[in-house]
Amino acid sequence: MKDLLEKKNYYQPLTWLDKVMEFFCFVALVCLWGLTWYFHEMELRSAPQDFSFFKNPSYYWASNMTYTMPVIATAIYIMLTYRNRRPIPVEHVIEVDPQKQAKLLQINQRLMRWIKINMVFIFIIIEVLSYTTGSNGGTGIPYFIVFVLPVLMVGPVVYFLFEFSKNQLE
């Protein structure tokens, strides 16, 4: 571990899978901004001309609050990207073999990429569902969301815990 700290070589080179994940995450973030703009324009066209956000709240309020989701998602995206480019080696509770340290850093960086992709997808789902339920344009939250959201949130963490433990047992 001390050798790794002295070398300052924490960043692992990107594989083609890592580049594909980064590309899809960026495309998903652009899609989130595009969906937000589209939903905002649709709501502005359907709102009456004399509508005031502070005087008569109704389901048109969403057109004035629409851009908060992509702003938050972009801030988290930038923070996770910065954090992933400058990984901080941590002292593990268990003894880590120096040969396995590079593999563990790669697993951690991939986990951060999956968390970033899932975070953007969750914001897209929230944006679509808030528009369809807030504008009376949908029938509510679909039942499959009950199964999709937990898998999106917990699935990568469970997978990478298995990867981490498999790497430790070898």
Side-chain angles (χ1 to χ4, degrees):
M1 184 71 174
K2 294 190 188 274
D3 295 336
L4 189 65
L5 289 172
E6 290 169 3
K7 290 180 184 176
K8 302 277 187 201
N9 187 17
Y10 311 129
Y11 189 71
Q12 300 294 318
L14 294 177
T15 63
W16 68 271
L17 179 63
D18 296 333
K19 291 177 185 177
V20 168
M21 288 184 343
E22 288 287 337
F23 175 74
F24 278 133
C25 188
F26 182 74
V27 168
L29 188 66
V30 170
C31 287
L32 175 63
W33 277 98
L35 278 172
T36 304
W37 176 81
Y38 176 72
F39 291 152
H40 183 80
E41 291 300 314
M42 286 182 63
E43 282 298 317
L44 285 179
R45 279 188 247 127
S46 64
Q49 294 297 334
D50 61 342
F51 172 72
S52 173
F53 179 68
F54 295 106
K55 291 182 184 172
N56 51 349
S58 64
Y59 62 89
Y60 294 114
W61 74 273
S63 65
N64 290 310
M65 300 294 287
T66 310
Y67 286 103
T68 55
M69 287 293 185
V71 166
I72 293 170
T74 303
I76 294 173
Y77 174 85
I78 290 170
M79 179 190 66
L80 288 176
T81 301
Y82 177 76
R83 166 65 178 88
N84 206 17
R85 296 205 189 258
R86 307 220 187 282
I88 302 168
V90 295
E91 292 291 331
H92 296 283
V93 177
I94 58 174
E95 185 65 31
V96 177
D97 191 17
Q99 289 84 14
K100 294 181 182 179
Q101 185 67 27
K103 181 69 175 169
L104 292 178
L105 283 172
Q106 184 182 27
I107 290 171
N108 287 339
Q109 287 176 343
R110 282 215 177 117
L111 175 63
M112 292 299 283
R113 282 187 188 90
W114 278 107
I115 288 173
K116 192 166 51 169
I117 289 172
N118 286 339
M119 179 268 316
V120 174
F121 283 149
I122 288 171
F123 274 101
I124 288 173
I125 290 170
I126 291 170
E127 185 72 26
V128 169
L129 291 178
S130 66
Y131 172 74
T132 57
T133 57
S135 66
N136 292 334
T139 59
I141 298 175
Y143 292 115
F144 75 89
I145 293 296
V146 174
F147 301 109
V148 170
L149 280 180
V151 169
L152 277 178
M153 290 189 283
V154 179
V157 175
V158 171
Y159 172 77
F160 284 105
L161 279 175
F162 281 120
E163 281 291 316
F164 178 77
S165 63
K166 182 175 72 173
N167 192 351
Q168 287 302 310
L169 294 175
E170 291 177 353

